[in-house]
């Protein structure tokens, strides 16, 4: 870390290394060692590096996308560790970056898909918190993204799975609302 401080490419590699360690320690929905506190610390280190890289070069889309990925994974870890407020904060940061990235490059389908995933995460966390109106809005945004992607590429398996997933989550919101 000390040697990489003045080299953005080494900083990116270091952040990726911290994330990989965090993944092994406790990544959500993946085989891991069950070390949630260790994973939190590793993800925090990666986030600090990625935030510094974006602050130094705010127009670098790749760095902002990497930062959004870091917010997503850290947010999911916090969420599954029962810190829904921290999970929601990070999910919203992910969405904010993704919205800017897709506005700058609307033809980037992967960026649009990631935006849809971010909206779905926000919707799921809000649903868990019982904030059904916000959950409905976020899931509606996710559904709009995924349906547009599916219309563009009807054979894409990711898009074909994302649409019914959001419908399922939306039905949970309706159940909560009675």
């Amino acid at each position: 870390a000390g040697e990489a401080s003045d080299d953005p490419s080494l900083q990116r590699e270091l952040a990726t290394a911290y994330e990989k360690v965090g993944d092994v320690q406790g990544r959500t929905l993946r085989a891991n060692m069950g070390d949630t506190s260790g994973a939190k610390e590793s993800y925090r280190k990666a986030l600090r590096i990625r935030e510094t890289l974006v602050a130094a070069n705010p127009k670098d889309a790749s760095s902002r996308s990497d930062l959004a990925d870091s917010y997503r994974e850290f947010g999911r870890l916090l969420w599954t560790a029962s810190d829904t407020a921290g999970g929601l904060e990070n999910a919203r940061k992910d969405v904010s970056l993704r919205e800017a990235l897709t506005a700058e490059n609307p033809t980037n389908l992967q960026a649009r898909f990631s935006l849809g995933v971010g909206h779905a995460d926000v919707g799921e966390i809000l649903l868990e918190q019982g904030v059904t109106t916000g959950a409905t809005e976020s899931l509606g945004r996710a559904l709009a993204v995924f349906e547009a992607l599916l219309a563009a590429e009807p054979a894409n398996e990711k898009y074909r799975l994302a649409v019914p997933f959001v419908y399922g989550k939306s039905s949970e919101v309706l159940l909560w609302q009675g």
Side-chain angles (χ1 to χ4, degrees), residues 9-44:
S9 103
L10 285 176
Q11 285 289 309
R12 278 193 269 304
E13 287 182 34
L14 183 60
T16 300
Y18 279 128
E19 287 170 346
K20 288 181 188 280
V21 170
D23 291 349
V24 170
Q25 291 169 312
R27 184 168 180 186
T28 306
L29 302 176
R30 302 273 166 85
N32 65 66
M33 296 173 59
D35 181 8
T36 302
S37 63
K40 287 178 185 177
E41 187 55 34
S42 295
Y43 286 148
R44 279 188 188 104

Side-chain angles (χ1 to χ4, degrees), residues 40-111:
K40 287 178 185 177
E41 187 55 34
S42 295
Y43 286 148
R44 279 188 188 104
K45 288 177 182 178
L47 271 170
R48 283 193 291 272
I49 293 168
R50 295 209 187 280
E51 288 170 339
T52 300
L53 288 168
V54 169
N57 189 359
K59 297 207 183 274
D60 181 15
S62 179
S63 290
R64 288 185 295 146
S65 180
D66 290 343
L67 178 58
D69 290 341
S70 293
Y71 282 135
R72 173 174 297 144
E73 290 309 319
F74 186 53
R76 285 177 173 177
L77 177 67
L78 294 174
W79 173 25
T80 59
S82 300
D83 179 0
T84 55
L88 182 59
E89 176 186 348
N90 281 276
R92 285 182 167 152
K93 288 178 180 180
D94 170 38
V95 166
S96 178
L97 282 168
R98 299 287 180 197
E99 285 174 339
L101 289 164
T102 57
E104 292 165 16
N105 188 359
T107 61
N108 183 332
L109 300 184
Q110 181 56 47

